[in-house]
Amino acid sequence: MNVDLFDFELPNDRIALRPAAPRDSARLLVLDGAATRDLHVTDLPGQLRAGDCLVFNDTRVIPAQLEGTRGEAKIGATLHKREGPRRWRAFIRNAKRLRDGDTIDFGQGVSALASDRAEDGSFALDFQGDEPVELLLERCGHMPLPPYIASKRPTDERDADDYQTMFANEPGAVAAPTAALHFTPGLLAALDAAGVGHTTLTLHVGAGTFLPVKAEDTADHKMHAEWGRIDQATADRLNAVRVAGGRVIAVGTTSLRLIESAAGDDNIIRPFEGDTAIFITPGYRFKGIDGLVTNFHLPRSTLFMLVSALIGLDRMQAAYAHAIADRYRFYSYGDASLLLPQRSG
């Protein structure tokens, strides 16, 4: 499909630079079959049914933004995928000043050897020494805010909490599963009281999620792989939810992509552990999920293509036009949507 089909104009002032406070006070645009409703995230329990199950991503964002030097040159690195105990693949700023075999000094006694430059300009970074890499990153790294926020203000202490979900448990993401940022213990209790269950999986979100689609046709776009895991108990539970007539509602495109990676053509979700580079565009047949809670995405992005596949491109374009006109807040710290496609049969 032509990538221009997924374009739209977004006024700059619609990009949220801070989350709503409290988190669950964010607005919620509900697309339920043919119906459209303007609500708030606190209204979510009334929009779902007893027996439904929300699926959260329990990945934890690591301080993956690094600033260092190679000689006199300033080098920036954004880690995006773990490749070994001490090796991370990283996007590099000022990459023209870096070559295979160079050492980057990140300060605080942290350094890494650069190697294996890839076609996309990324390097493998092998962190030196014996300390766990997690400790090194805590010492020299910063929270990796998305570029559309970081370009407008510096990262600060608030982001260490704001950019982490209440489910964050498994370190390894370099971007937050932002739909879950809206959830609070109080909202979860209200969902439980309404008979809506929840469970978790793990997908370590990579920085590739922010890369624009530069190809003219979706068929020519290459997705970056991300590591994820769904265990047997979680797969069994989600299958049981659907057998009992409930719906599996992914919270965030990361949860959705992993579930769909684990689901077979028979609509059965199976245990999964490994990399996924699934790319969902209109025409895709969803096999493991029945709905999605998600934020508002960038024009021409793989995530806007995904929601268009779920709801329909024309409907999604109209919904985004409504959200822009009604001053919804966009992107990672912005408002949310609940997408419940109309099912036939």
Side-chain angles (χ1 to χ4, degrees):
M1 297 183 70
N2 192 312
V3 172
D4 288 343
L5 294 172
F6 303 94
D7 204 3
F8 57 87
E9 290 293 327
L10 181 73
N12 206 42
D13 64 357
R14 301 298 194 277
I15 301 173
L17 300 184
R18 298 284 184 187
R23 293 185 180 210
D24 55 11
S25 67
R27 298 178 70 188
L28 180 71
L29 180 64
V30 179
L31 303 184
D32 185 357
T36 301
R37 294 186 283 275
D38 294 295
L39 300 171
H40 290 85
V41 172
T42 49
D43 298 313
L44 185 60
Q47 302 305 302
L48 300 176
R49 302 194 296 247
D52 289 346
C53 185
L54 295 167
V55 187
F56 296 95
N57 185 356
D58 68 2
T59 190
R60 184 172 186 84
V61 183
I62 61 172
Q65 193 80 47
L66 308 175
E67 299 294 334
T69 57
R70 198 278 303 156
E72 296 294 317
K74 292 184 178 180
I75 304 292
T78 301
L79 310 185
H80 75 89
K81 189 173 186 296
R82 189 166 211 152
E83 295 187 337
R86 306 196 65 79
R87 170 176 282 214
W88 278 81
R89 176 66 51 178
F91 295 120
I92 300 296
R93 190 175 69 254
N94 204 14
K96 65 179 182 292
R97 302 294 299 275
L98 192 66
R99 289 174 172 75
D100 283 8
D102 285 347
T103 296
I104 309 172
D105 181 0
F106 294 114
Q108 304 292 320
V110 180
S111 62
L113 182 69
S115 64
D116 191 22
R117 180 171 186 159
E119 288 184 9
D120 62 5
S122 67
F123 280 82
L125 298 184
D126 288 285
F127 286 88
Q128 309 300 288
D130 299 319
E131 288 182 274
V133 173
E134 289 76 12
L135 292 181
L136 300 180
L137 296 180
E138 290 292 339
R139 203 154 70 226
C140 71
H142 304 280
M143 190 62 78
L145 282 185
Y148 43 76
I149 296 176
S151 64
K152 292 178 168 53
R153 66 164 179 83
T155 304
D156 57 30
E157 291 182 4
R158 285 177 56 185
D159 293 306
D161 180 64
D162 286 347
Y163 201 56
Q164 209 76 266
T165 77
M166 65 174 288
F167 307 95
N169 186 56
E170 300 289 336
V174 301
T178 54
L181 292 177
H182 301 293
F183 286 78
T184 64
L187 177 56
L188 215 58
L191 288 160
D192 288 341
V196 178
H198 69 275
T199 190
T200 61
L201 47 71
T202 304
L203 184 125
H204 291 323
V205 192
T209 189
F210 301 122
L211 293 179
V213 177
K214 295 181 179 179
E216 294 182 3
D217 193 282
T218 57
D220 298 323
H221 178 68
K222 182 179 179 182
M223 292 284 284
H224 281 80
E226 297 165 312
W227 183 92
R229 178 180 61 228
I230 297 177
D231 62 25
Q232 183 72 61
T234 301
D236 289 346
R237 180 176 180 188
L238 296 180
N239 290 325
V241 164
R242 300 181 96 189
V243 168
R247 296 175 296 183
V248 171
I249 311 293
V251 179
T253 56
T254 62
S255 293
L256 182 151
R257 291 176 62 245
L258 187 57
I259 293 170
E260 289 299 314
S261 298
D265 289 336
D266 56 2
N267 300 334
I268 300 298
I269 300 166
R270 293 174 175 82
F272 182 99
E273 182 168 356
D275 287 349
T276 176
I278 189 172
F279 182 22
I280 295 175
T281 58
Y284 176 86
R285 184 181 75 82
F286 289 86
K287 303 181 287 290
I289 63 99
D290 306 292
L292 173 66
V293 178
T294 188
N295 287 14
F296 292 91
H297 304 294
L298 280 73
R300 302 173 66 89
S301 65
T302 62
L303 302 183
F304 185 64
M305 295 170 189
L306 184 155
V307 296
S308 297
L310 183 63
I311 293 294
L313 177 57
D314 290 345
R315 181 90 196 281
M316 216 63 240
Q317 287 280 20
Y320 270 46
H322 167 79
I324 292 168
D326 210 32
R327 304 195 67 83
Y328 276 75
R329 301 162 72 247
F330 272 61
Y331 303 164
S332 295
Y333 278 157
D335 295 316
S337 62
L338 171 63
L339 310 180
L340 298 171
Q342 196 162 11
R343 297 301 190 196
S344 58

